Amino acid sequence: MAGGGCVVAGVLMVVATGVWAVHWLVYPFFGTGVLGGFTTFSACVVDVWHLLRGGYVCTGLACLVLNVAVVLAAVWCGAAVTCGLAVWRRG
């Protein structure tokens, strides 16, 4: 579920920093508070830990690296789509 929350984080980054004037506490509240809990990576870390302890070092490291890559791509996609929509909306 971290990927969906990361897309929303990308959208929130664009909205809070340029599209709409929002209160300065909106991003910390939603970005860190709400989405931070929604996109927790603790489950991923536990899975990686179990893989490493079970001797599956390559699989564990691949899981960790791919998870980080996917969620960073999700943030970028959310931000890019939101920027595109903002530009389109302005005409």
Side-chain angles (χ1 to χ4, degrees), residues 47-48 50-52 55-67:
D47 289 342
V48 169
H50 286 296
L51 287 168
L52 294 175
Y56 300 100
V57 176
C58 290
T59 305
L61 293 177
C63 179
L64 183 63
V65 169
L66 287 173
N67 192 5

Side-chain angles (χ1 to χ4, degrees), residues 1-87:
M1 196 50 72
C6 289
V7 170
V8 175
V11 170
L12 182 62
M13 283 180 6
V14 172
V15 169
T17 59
V19 175
W20 289 308
V22 294
H23 192 272
W24 66 276
L25 289 175
V26 169
Y27 187 73
F29 175 75
F30 284 108
T32 304
V34 176
L35 292 175
F38 184 63
T39 61
T40 183
F41 291 102
S42 59
C44 173
V45 172
V46 169
D47 289 342
V48 169
W49 175 251
H50 286 296
L51 287 168
L52 294 175
R53 288 206 45 173
Y56 300 100
V57 176
C58 290
T59 305
L61 293 177
C63 179
L64 183 63
V65 169
L66 287 173
N67 192 5
V68 171
V70 167
V71 297
L72 286 175
V75 171
W76 182 85
C77 287
V81 168
T82 306
C83 283
L85 289 173
V87 169

